[in-house]
Amino acid sequence: MNGASVLRFENVCVKFGDAIALDGVSFEMQAGETRIVYGVAGSGKTTLLKVALGLVCPDSGRVFVFGEEVTHLDENGWFKIRAKMGILFQEGGLFDSMTIAENVAYPLVNRQTTQQRAAQNGHVEERVREALRFVELEGTLDKFPSELSGGMRRRVGIARAIVTEPPLLLYDSPTAGLDPITANTIVHLILKERDLRHATSITVTHRFQDGHLLANFRYNPSNGRIELVGHDPGDHVTTKFFVMHEGRLVFEGTQSELSASRDPYVHKFAR
Amino acid sequence: MHPHVSIVNVGGIDLLDILKPSVQTFQDFIIMSGRAVRNIFRSPHYTDDILLQMDIIGVGSLPIVLFIGLFSGLVMGLQLSRTLATYGAQAQMGQLVSAVLVRELGPVLVSLLVAGRNASGIASIGSMKVTEQIDAMRALGTDPIQKLVTPRLIATAVTLPLLTILADFVGLLGGYLIAKYRFDLQFSLYWTSAWQVLEYNDVVQGLVKPFAFAIIIALVGCFYGMRTSGGTEGVGRSTTKAVVVSSIWIFVVTFFIGEIFVNLS
């Protein structure tokens, strides 16, 4: 699947009243790539993800997902596209009234047709357990989100995002408001998911450490450890950085290009 | 280049700019309402959610509705008894209590009560909005209007007329207790006059009103809940706004429905 266009923005603008959230944003992502989006609060990072997911409609410009133009797609059309996307919301976005198991099973149960549901009946529970095992929270199946800590809720959010094994994953500030140890655990999980399934992903963050980890480390499935990326061809990680400022995409490039940037705003994210 | 010339400009203030947010809000309300109504006839139908909402709105409101119904009948009977005694028209007690309760007081009182109780439902939708659960719903392939608004609309539209019928009956019972206690009015005299005064027009009016109010309460509540922003403080603001706006519309709409039925009779 490498090389196929997964997400393309063409001069996308979004306004909320008089406030400009996205201002002429253009980029393209190929399958298997990892993008890290840096920017201060209010720079348009979350809006960018919401446009990609069809939760916010652009005022102008064009958006393509999996090669299909989605700019003016209605909600029903979006449901089919979103079935191929996983999202972790900043607040986790877990349903308070459902148990953790029901939350994680939701995309599996909700997106299936009746026939698929009948065929997969026994597999849903298995997939839910597998996804929760991945985030090391298998023991929380019958708990409610309110019984978990912020970091645990975020991990359940990751389990829900990956349970359908979508080809495109969007992480909205996965480490915001977490202590450094929990934040590292979350990034390790994102890394592990990326390197096990090679899914395309966008991670929005304002933490330099998150981008550093995703660009320079990889998950080694043979020993289950996170290791520094070496120089072997198999170690190649296709990570690019975006920096957003006041709704504009002010930087797009590799980590070395980010480090070499002389723009004072961009340079803030290079340390 | 010509300067921007507004159609309605008073003292340098563009009136269209002032009206724009209200018109926009009303337009959004109409769009949401249209989708909620359209979803009644579209799959998937969330029957469990409809039944849950009927339980919360209908069964949950029952004790307070019966209590308020009984006391409104008692109070009305008490106040009317003095006036009726002046004219020696105590036998008319059943007629008066019945006409006022069924046509107006029953539907309005029950609807105001349910609008107030509905605040918890608005807060629940509001908190789902601020914690991104509604976005998550959309992202995971569920239409939030289908899942949250339509079940509440159906549940309120079904239960509110039923609650009103019960409140009317209990209110009449309250009126009878006063009639019996104050005038020693015969059971059959009270109930026969209460029943006979009601025309087809009154009964229809007494059921159309709670049905219309139910639509207002459910849609206005869900609309403000779904528009919540600004964290937990925003949830409080939405709840207050929804209850106030619903209550105002209940009074406005009861006047117009009353006007239609008065002209029909």
Side-chain angles (χ1 to χ4, degrees), chain A residues 50 53-55 75-76 79 82 87 89-91 93-96 106-107 110-111 160, chain B residues 35 42 46 127-128 130-144 147:
Chain A
K50 287 191 173 176
L53 200 61
L55 299 179
E75 194 73 0
N76 282 328
F79 286 153
R82 289 179 195 141
I87 172 119
F89 286 96
Q90 194 170 344
E91 301 281 342
L94 301 179
F95 303 123
D96 291 335
Y106 196 88
N110 202 44
R111 284 171 180 165
R160 189 174 68 178
Chain B
R35 286 178 61 191
R42 280 186 169 190
Y46 296 101
S127 64
M128 285 182 80
V130 297
T131 55
E132 295 180 308
Q133 291 178 56
I134 289 181
D135 278 346
M137 218 174 245
R138 288 177 67 197
L140 299 174
T142 300
D143 176 2
K147 173 92 176 153

Side-chain angles (χ1 to χ4, degrees), chain A residues 193-267:
Chain A
E193 166 64 16
R194 178 194 70 186
D195 295 335
L196 281 176
R197 284 208 311 109
H198 306 288
T200 314
S201 69
I202 304 180
T203 306
V204 156
T205 183
H206 58 267
R207 270 177 27 115
F208 157 76
Q209 298 93 320
D210 298 348
H212 175 72
L213 270 169
L214 286 168
N216 299 301
F217 287 81
R218 69 173 192 128
Y219 175 74
N220 185 344
S222 55
N223 60 14
R225 286 187 176 176
I226 304 293
E227 296 172 343
L228 197 64
V229 174
H231 297 290
D232 298 337
D235 282 349
H236 182 63
V237 176
T238 48
T239 305
K240 272 191 177 173
F241 291 83
F242 285 161
V243 179
M244 297 203 65
H245 185 49
E246 294 177 350
R248 283 175 296 113
L249 197 58
V250 293
F251 174 85
E252 181 180 1
T254 61
Q255 194 182 25
S256 50
E257 286 167 337
L258 180 74
S259 305
S261 173
R262 287 169 185 265
D263 184 309
Y265 177 77
V266 173
H267 199 71

Side-chain angles (χ1 to χ4, degrees), chain A residues 47-125:
Chain A
T47 309
L48 184 136
L49 290 191
K50 287 191 173 176
V51 171
L53 200 61
L55 299 179
V56 170
C57 196
D59 291 300
S60 63
R62 299 167 81 190
V63 180
F64 297 81
V65 183
F66 302 112
E68 186 184 332
E69 177 157 14
V70 293
T71 320
H72 302 296
L73 211 58
D74 64 11
E75 194 73 0
N76 282 328
W78 264 111
F79 286 153
K80 289 177 197 132
I81 301 283
R82 289 179 195 141
K84 294 187 269 182
M85 298 161 96
I87 172 119
L88 169 67
F89 286 96
Q90 194 170 344
E91 301 281 342
L94 301 179
F95 303 123
D96 291 335
S97 56
M98 292 182 187
T99 63
I100 297 303
E102 287 166 342
N103 261 290
V104 178
Y106 196 88
L108 285 171
V109 176
N110 202 44
R111 284 171 180 165
Q112 286 173 348
T113 61
T114 315
Q115 291 91 334
Q116 285 170 325
R117 215 171 292 163
Q120 285 209 355
N121 222 349
H123 297 287
V124 170
E125 195 185 329

Side-chain angles (χ1 to χ4, degrees), chain B residues 193-241:
Chain B
S193 70
W195 174 249
Q196 280 176 347
V197 74
L198 293 177
E199 291 174 9
Y200 179 71
N201 178 310
D202 298 315
V203 178
V204 173
Q205 182 178 177
L207 292 174
V208 164
K209 278 184 179 175
F211 182 74
F213 301 158
I215 294 169
I216 292 169
I217 293 166
L219 292 178
V220 169
C222 291
F223 177 68
Y224 281 106
M226 302 271 275
R227 280 167 69 94
T228 305
S229 61
T232 45
E233 207 177 306
V235 175
R237 270 200 305 271
S238 298
T239 309
T240 310
K241 239 183 215 174

